[in-house]
Amino acid sequence: MLHEPREIPPETRAPLPAVDRVLATDAAQLAIERYGRAATVAGVRASLDEVRPAWRAGAAVDVSPERIAAAASMRLEGESRPSQRRVLNLTGTVLHTNLGRALIAEEAIAAVVAAMRSPTALEFDLSDGRRGERDDHVRGLLRELTGAEDAVIVNNNAAAVLLTLNSLSDGKETIVSRGELIEIGGAFRMPSIMNRAGARLVEVGTTNRTHLADYVEAIGPQTALVMKVHPSNYRIEGFVKETPAAELAPAVHERGVPLVDDLGSGVLVDLAAYGLQRERTVQEAVRDGADIVTFSGDKVLGGPQAGLVVGRHDLVRRLAKNHLKRALRIDKLRLAALEATLRLYRDPDRLAERLPTLALLARPAEKLKALAARFRPALADAIGPRFEVEIVDLESQIGSGALPLATIPSGGLAVASLGEKGGGGALQRLAASMRALSVPIIGRISDDRLNLDLRGLDDEHALAESIVELGLATAAEDAE
Ligand SMILES: *Cc1c(COP(=O)(O)O)cnc(C)c1O
């Protein structure tokens, strides 16, 4: 036979231990205490299954009960870590959809915890003891903050658009500019959503120019809505004509057609006050004459995932009565978080202190560079002499479709490989080691550098600990 030398004759090698013998070890007893008997038995079986082929083939594997118990414990520990783990977002995109978008305020977290623990007056009117509507908890706040007559809340903004179109344009036409037929990540394509909602899409204008007359000429007896969509993730530059909502609203109202404005990001404050570029607010959209305005709860608004619809009372009531609303409704936990978040907006002076998303976005670049200088030595130490770590100027993005091309000056660390040419492989391996940490560090590779943008850093202590762990992992790898 070919690989004879390493094999042990079957009659002399140790037998595979029975599950009970493994369970009797100290390590397995500890595992039972920690993870329960059923999971530990399953872990032991899986560990036995893992070594069996090599053992059968006669390879020199340690199959002592202690060794199998240790392998089972490691497996159980891995399995007990939450799959949706906390990470450090150093990607430079503050509202990163893949990393869960907005961090919510402590006030909102407390509200969620309270709502989880006890029954709540979710759909119950405490004044008369009758059934209430869940959206009532935020309707008043939204009216006050946006100036709109009424509001309804759903699962996310995609749901808000779907519900709006289905409630107001099912079997009828909705007019949209060709320059605004957007696709957002995650397969949200405006034409497909319209189709699903039962609305017939009427495209007007061209990709770069849509005039008021284009909209007006398309209005006919089948027109249910005219819709504007915020181009969240791109911008058309050059010979461009967009018809602003303020110009469009009176013209479509004159013809008895409501105007819908899908804003995407729910900006409720003047971002210029925080050193950021201005973005049209929900209040402005309402003032410009939009009859329905839709936006997300977890973008710049800084709350939980939610779709907010504000606008004209009679139209919003049609959305609230649609049976689809039941399938798209928000749960009590996020509603509690949304209510607490909106309440913070009543005190704009303290908003940047209390709303983590705004706090992260408003941090000056010099502060981030000073922070980078503090972390540089530890990181350089941790990853060793094969890499070079520099303090750099970076450009962060708000993310999730707010001000798509505007960047915010930022600061952080850039890691380059000193070894192989280009260093791509080494950087990829380093990025993988950072993802494998207990609290993973998520950076961004660009131009042969691994950039760690500190704008999105929400916990300096956690980053320091992750860097220490990275150092231990690198040292262990080098020792192998
Ligand atoms: C982000 C966005 C959406 C989708 O919102 P979700 O909350 O992610 O469902 C829809 N329209 C516009 C213009 C957006 O920017």
Side-chain angles (χ1 to χ4, degrees), residues 149-185:
E149 291 173 9
D150 205 349
V152 1
I153 313 301
V154 285
N155 179 57
N156 58 10
N157 191 33
V161 172
L162 179 71
L163 183 66
T164 300
L165 291 167
N166 182 260
S167 308
L168 307 178
S169 184
D170 191 11
K172 295 216 176 110
E173 294 170 354
T174 290
I175 299 172
V176 186
S177 158
R178 288 196 171 88
E180 296 176 6
L181 286 172
I182 58 165
E183 170 177 322
I184 304 172

Side-chain angles (χ1 to χ4, degrees), residues 101 156-158 182 184 188 229-230 232 262-265 296 298-299 306 400-401:
R101 291 191 184 163
N156 58 10
N157 191 33
I182 58 165
I184 304 172
F188 179 90
V229 185
H230 179 68
S232 291
D262 176 22
L263 285 181
S265 255
S296 295
D298 56 354
K299 292 185 179 174
S400 290

Side-chain angles (χ1 to χ4, degrees), residues 361-438:
L361 290 173
R363 284 200 292 183
E366 310 84 72
K367 277 216 172 136
L368 299 174
K369 285 185 76 176
L371 198 56
R374 269 180 39 211
F375 279 113
R376 202 199 71 82
L379 183 66
D381 254 13
I383 60 181
R386 278 166 298 175
F387 296 100
E388 176 184 63
V389 185
E390 278 183 312
I391 302 160
V392 286
D393 294 305
L394 292 168
E395 296 285 327
S396 314
Q397 295 184 334
I398 297 185
S400 290
L403 301 166
L405 301 188
T407 53
I408 316 170
S410 185
L413 294 167
V415 181
S417 167
L418 296 173
E420 54 201 284
K421 202 170 172 336
L427 277 186
Q428 293 287 354
R429 283 193 297 280
L430 179 63
S433 304
M434 289 187 177
R435 289 197 304 272
L437 297 169
S438 307

